[in-house]
Amino acid sequence: MELTTTVTELRYALDTFFFLISGALVMWMAAGFAMLEAGLVRSKNTTEILTKNFCLYAIACTTYLIVGYNIMYVDNGEGGWLPSIGALIGTQAEGADHSLESDFFFQVVFVATAMSVVSGAVAERMKLWSFLLFSVVLTAFIYPMEGYWTWGGGFLSEAGFSDFAGSGIVHMAGASAALAGVLLLGARKGKYGKNGEINPIPGSNMPLATLGTFILWLGWFGFNGGSQLMLSDFENASAVGQIFLNTNAAAAAGAVAALAVCKTMWGKADLTMILNGALAGLVAITADPLSPSPIASVIVGVVAGALVIFSIIMLDKIKIDDPVGAISVHGVCGFFGLMVVPFSNGDASFGAQLLGAAVIFAWVFTASFVVWFVIKVTIGIRVTEEEEMAGMDLHDCGVDAYPEFVSLK
């Protein structure tokens, strides 16, 4: 029997499949964010936060297909500031090693991840429809613009900025948008006292939060591993294995470091801090999960796992209310991840990394602040005090997440 399938065709099929499976793992991170956030908010706000996470994913996939991917990648000039506008997702390049459609799918789940960062930070007091309106703008325009400047071949990539899988481009960008919203939104009622005291507001479901973190940890292998872009030869297959190893090592070290800091500071094992420690390690290593040695990856995770706790404490002291710690996990640790890249990657420089981080933060924060402000002065971004006290589920959704536990009058 004659063999008609060439080695090139087999490699094309394998790399396309690798993209699709990696994208599916990243898509599963949407479930992780939903479960984590649902566990860390109060039960009266559970349905609403799940609605936000489910709908933002659907919106991101739609807006990025219609316009976002085009801004970020299609027919853009090298080293530019402004994108061109071409066909929907462009055309398949001659000699490509994977299908264009698989590339789009892998990219669209990243933009959904950036938007998922926002939902937890503004939880329990933001209007559902205001949040969804903002998600349209972020996923269609704000994220794709900085994505073009970096991964799309724009001026930051030409300046030598390096962000392998998105510590800054995805995670810090999401945190920057979240920070802008939180500053305009204000803290939850009762979070901070008149005399400066900080009143903890416990989440409703620690098993759900833990499940969400495990899902995110699993999905991150697609997030970082898939960013190698190829699997079909010895060098790339070995690189993917190294990326998996380093990603896992940083996450584990982040959790252990957070555990140690909690025990040292409070004498207790604070589960929420430990979960955020693992996520902090994942975010930090995402900037370059290939170049560091396994021991260096552990060190990155340890520093990030400790850093996130002090960041959460500091934000509380200055009365920035972030119910899930998203700004600290994705913003502070995303920046940290960018800045440690030159220690293991000789092609990166501290100057280029700082420039990239500054541009991403300035653009996303400023653009998001303007959009949030326009929404605030038009339709409003915050529910009333009475609606907040009653719960977002009742106000926005009319469906209780745990109806058996609601008192009947």
Side-chain angles (χ1 to χ4, degrees), residues 23 63 124 170 178 236 316-317 352:
T63 57
E124 300 203 292
V170 179
N236 283 290
D316 256 346
K317 286 184 177 180

Side-chain angles (χ1 to χ4, degrees), residues 318-367:
I318 60 177
K319 297 185 177 181
I320 294 179
D321 183 18
D322 180 357
V324 304
I327 296 171
S328 296
V329 169
H330 301 275
V332 173
C333 294
F335 175 73
F336 166 70
L338 290 177
M339 296 312 298
V340 298
V341 170
F343 285 111
S344 58
N345 187 340
D347 294 329
S349 69
F350 292 107
Q353 295 303 97
L354 187 60
L355 172 66
V359 169
I360 291 170
F361 175 78
W363 161 250
V364 178
F365 178 83
T366 303

Side-chain angles (χ1 to χ4, degrees), residues 3-299:
L3 294 177
T4 58
T5 303
T6 66
V7 172
T8 300
E9 290 173 327
L10 287 174
R11 292 187 61 183
Y12 179 92
L14 179 58
D15 287 332
T16 295
F17 182 71
F18 175 59
F19 249 142
L20 294 174
I21 291 299
S22 296
L25 281 171
V26 180
M27 183 271 178
W28 189 229
M29 291 174 69
F33 278 112
M35 296 301 98
L36 173 63
E37 293 170 18
L40 294 181
V41 302
R42 288 165 288 185
S43 57
K44 64 182 180 180
N45 299 313
T46 305
T47 300
E48 195 263 357
I49 200 69
L50 293 172
T51 303
K52 282 180 177 174
N53 275 273
F54 197 88
C55 291
L56 76 84
Y57 179 80
I59 288 170
C61 290
T62 304
T63 57
Y64 196 67
L65 172 64
I66 294 172
V67 64
Y69 186 88
N70 198 284
I71 290 174
M72 194 163 168
Y73 286 113
V74 179
D75 298 331
N76 289 328
E78 295 293 327
W81 283 80
L82 297 175
S84 62
I85 300 297
L88 189 63
I89 63 170
T91 56
Q92 181 76 50
E94 185 177 351
D97 48 37
H98 58 270
S99 77
L100 176 63
E101 293 77 13
S102 67
D103 182 83
F104 167 79
F105 177 68
F106 185 69
Q107 294 295 335
V108 76
V109 290
F110 274 60
V111 67
T113 298
M115 190 61 216
S116 293
V117 174
V118 182
S119 61
V122 301
E124 300 203 292
R125 73 270 201 210
M126 175 170 277
K127 290 181 177 180
L128 172 64
W129 293 101
S130 299
F131 173 84
L132 296 180
L133 178 59
F134 176 79
S135 71
V136 172
V137 183
L138 179 82
T139 58
F141 178 67
I142 297 176
Y143 172 89
M145 282 298 297
E146 55 100 8
Y148 160 53
W149 296 337
T150 50
W151 287 336
F155 75 98
L156 286 178
S157 65
E158 291 292 299
F161 175 68
S162 178
D163 189 0
F164 186 91
S167 285
I169 297 167
V170 179
H171 295 280
M172 194 182 72
S176 302
L179 178 61
V182 168
L183 291 177
L184 288 170
L185 189 61
R188 292 168 290 175
K189 295 297 180 182
K191 175 64 177 176
Y192 304 113
K194 294 182 179 179
N195 298 320
E197 64 270 21
I198 301 169
N199 302 312
I201 301 178
S204 61
N205 195 322
M206 291 302 102
L208 208 57
T210 305
L211 174 63
T213 306
F214 269 124
I215 292 173
L216 287 168
W217 193 331
L218 172 65
W220 231 286
F221 294 120
F223 201 96
N224 287 356
S227 295
Q228 181 64 20
L229 308 182
M230 291 183 67
L231 182 72
S232 59
D233 59 34
F234 178 86
E235 181 179 355
N236 283 290
S238 299
V240 172
Q242 182 72 34
I243 290 167
F244 271 52
L245 190 160
N246 288 345
T247 299
N248 193 63
V256 172
L259 172 63
V261 172
C262 288
K263 178 63 176 176
T264 301
M265 294 181 65
W266 303 300
K268 304 288 185 181
D270 186 328
L271 176 61
T272 62
M273 292 294 189
I274 297 168
L275 299 179
N276 276 333
L279 295 175
L282 287 163
V283 169
I285 200 64
T286 293
D288 190 349
L290 177 59
S291 299
S293 67
I295 296 301
S297 300
V298 168
I299 294 171

